[in-house]
Amino acid sequence: MEKIEKWISNNKDIEQELIRLRRHFHEHPEVGHPLPQTQEYIVKLLEMYGYENIIVNPGGSIEVLVGPHDKKILLLRSDMDALPLVEHTNLPFKSINGSMHACGHDMHASMMLMCAKLLKKNEKKLKGQIKIVFQPHEEGLVGCKMMIEDGVLKYPRVDAAVGLHVMPATEDKTGTIRTIRKAMTTASTIFEINITGKSSHGSMPEKGIDALRVAVHIYQQLQEIIPKEISMSHDDVLTIGIMNAGKAHNIIPEKAYMKCSLRSYRPDDQEYIMGRVNELVQSIASMYHAQAGITILQQAPSVYNDPALLKSIMDVEKDVFGGYIKKLELPLTISEDFGHITANVPSLFVTLAAGCKQDGYIYGLHNKATIFDEGCLMYGLYFLYNAAMNWNVKY
């Protein structure tokens, strides 16, 4: 395979097409599931590339197969959903529909589409079969699970999987690819707390049960769990991002609502912390004569990189990427529902630097002002393409 710099230099036409794809996705973002416009666009292009048996699953994922049948199958996965953010950039192709690709899924989808095109064009050179999958609703941490329930890993059975995620505002030069053995991201649990008290006039608080008061005490006590009960070396994070109660200044609120997320690398920490959350919520509500319930909304396990698969793939990629391949020093604190795949088949997940801070790319993921360096696209594409072309050859 050609070295990365030479390959990019020799394929400027591919780069321009890749950028056009990315800008289309960026200008037309859709959130969650379903993603009708995004799905229609991807299916149309896959048909143009020569794919015939295109499957659109009930859960909204799109899948195609390329390469010889009755061979081991490598799954390449891309997400394609956006975030409910109003974009605040000056890009000429910025979104104007109230949503935004602030997590780079437009980059992922465009790289995967172009990879699908190249693999179809070079299908006779493939020694193994490649399953290409486009996934909705990653941001809700449910899309991957829905995809698996639709049989993506079984029909036909997948032997290994590869995914990537762009990262802006890094210290690395654009195009740098990083990964780490074993746990790469945190596991995540998203949950809500609903508190019910009793409303009364603000001048007669003794006749009511203040749900907001209960929520405030719950908030304070939940913040004590990790620093006082968990080793500081475990890097667990509990975030209470939403707390709502009341609609008038002179009414004791009957209802209060909290939405929270827990991130941790250790399953036993997740279990312990959620157990303590439940204990504290129930005891505090009871102490103030209120009622409270906890509902788990979404969960995703940690993304786990299979050591053997990582070594075999990265050894091959180093031959063409050279110094652009680097070890990730510490696992990422973000969560990714690709963890549902890594829990089922040997997998590799990598990050792709999409803008260095020193070059002005100062906003990270999920920011309304985030800008990604499109120069990373060819690096990510070539990484995926190489992984596919060497499947069932060198690993």
Side-chain angles (χ1 to χ4, degrees), residues 182-343:
K182 299 186 177 180
M184 182 158 177
T185 70
T186 58
S188 177
T189 298
I190 301 173
F191 62 98
E192 63 183 13
I193 303 170
N194 285 283
I195 302 159
T196 302
K198 180 182 178 182
S199 65
S200 67
H201 195 285
S203 67
M204 294 178 283
E206 75 281 2
K207 296 186 180 296
I209 299 172
D210 191 341
L212 178 56
R213 178 194 187 195
V214 177
V216 169
H217 282 278
I218 289 173
Y219 178 94
Q220 292 173 329
Q221 291 302 309
L222 295 192
Q223 298 297 337
E224 297 289 322
I225 298 173
I226 291 173
K228 297 301 183 182
E229 301 180 33
I230 303 290
S231 170
M232 61 186 297
S233 65
H234 288 198
D235 296 322
D236 299 300
V237 178
L238 176 61
T239 303
I240 303 170
I242 299 175
M243 188 162 76
N244 296 326
K247 294 183 179 180
H249 72 282
N250 58 352
I251 299 175
I252 299 297
E254 178 187 14
K255 304 282 187 180
Y257 173 81
M258 306 168 75
K259 190 170 184 180
C260 321
S261 64
L262 170 64
R263 302 175 190 270
S264 56
Y265 298 112
R266 301 166 182 257
D268 53 338
D269 281 5
Q270 282 265 328
E271 183 178 354
Y272 177 81
I273 293 169
M274 287 306 300
R276 290 292 287 136
V277 167
N278 187 64
E279 289 175 7
L280 288 168
V281 166
Q282 297 304 327
S283 62
I284 292 169
S286 177
M287 183 167 62
Y288 292 105
H289 309 293
Q291 294 180 324
I294 298 174
T295 304
I296 304 295
L297 300 176
Q298 294 101 28
Q299 289 183 301
S302 171
V303 170
Y304 181 88
N305 281 327
D306 180 80
L309 183 67
L310 181 150
K311 185 179 187 307
S312 58
I313 292 180
M314 298 311 287
D315 283 350
V316 171
E317 297 285 1
K318 284 177 185 176
D319 289 340
V320 294
F321 280 89
Y324 283 95
I325 299 289
K326 292 185 178 181
K327 179 184 176 182
L328 190 67
E329 297 303 323
L330 293 169
L332 303 173
T333 57
I334 64 171
S335 299
E336 233 286 355
D337 76 348
F338 189 73
H340 288 294
I341 290 177
T342 71

Side-chain angles (χ1 to χ4, degrees), residues 15-36:
E15 184 172 23
Q16 291 305 310
E17 185 175 354
L18 189 50
I19 290 172
R20 286 196 298 271
L21 287 174
R22 184 263 164 156
R23 293 184 177 183
H24 173 88
F25 285 123
H26 192 86
E27 197 170 359
H28 304 90
E30 293 179 291
V31 175
H33 166 68
L35 311 173

Side-chain angles (χ1 to χ4, degrees), residues 110-145:
S110 58
M111 287 185 280
M112 195 62 76
L113 261 176
M114 187 55 64
C115 185
K117 181 177 182 179
L118 295 180
L119 291 176
K120 193 64 178 176
K121 183 178 180 180
N122 296 282
E123 187 169 15
K124 293 182 179 180
K125 297 179 182 179
L126 286 168
K127 302 302 181 183
Q129 196 166 30
I130 311 299
K131 180 180 283 193
I132 298 169
V133 177
F134 298 87
Q135 176 204 313
H137 220 334
E138 189 281 327
E139 296 297 350
L141 298 181
V142 296
C144 196
K145 189 175 181 181

Side-chain angles (χ1 to χ4, degrees), residues 1-2 4 7 11 14 66 74 76 111-112 114-126 130 132 162 164 313 316-317 320-321 377-391 395:
M1 304 295 282
E2 288 182 306
I4 181 63
W7 187 80
N11 291 282
I14 291 177
V66 59
L74 175 68
L76 300 181
M111 287 185 280
M112 195 62 76
M114 187 55 64
C115 185
K117 181 177 182 179
L118 295 180
L119 291 176
K120 193 64 178 176
K121 183 178 180 180
N122 296 282
E123 187 169 15
K124 293 182 179 180
K125 297 179 182 179
L126 286 168
I130 311 299
I132 298 169
V162 171
L164 63 74
I313 292 180
V316 171
E317 297 285 1
V320 294
F321 280 89
L377 291 170
M378 289 292 276
Y379 292 84
L381 167 60
Y382 202 42
F383 178 87
L384 294 169
Y385 179 68
N386 274 330
M389 293 304 295
N390 285 289
W391 174 244
Y395 42 83

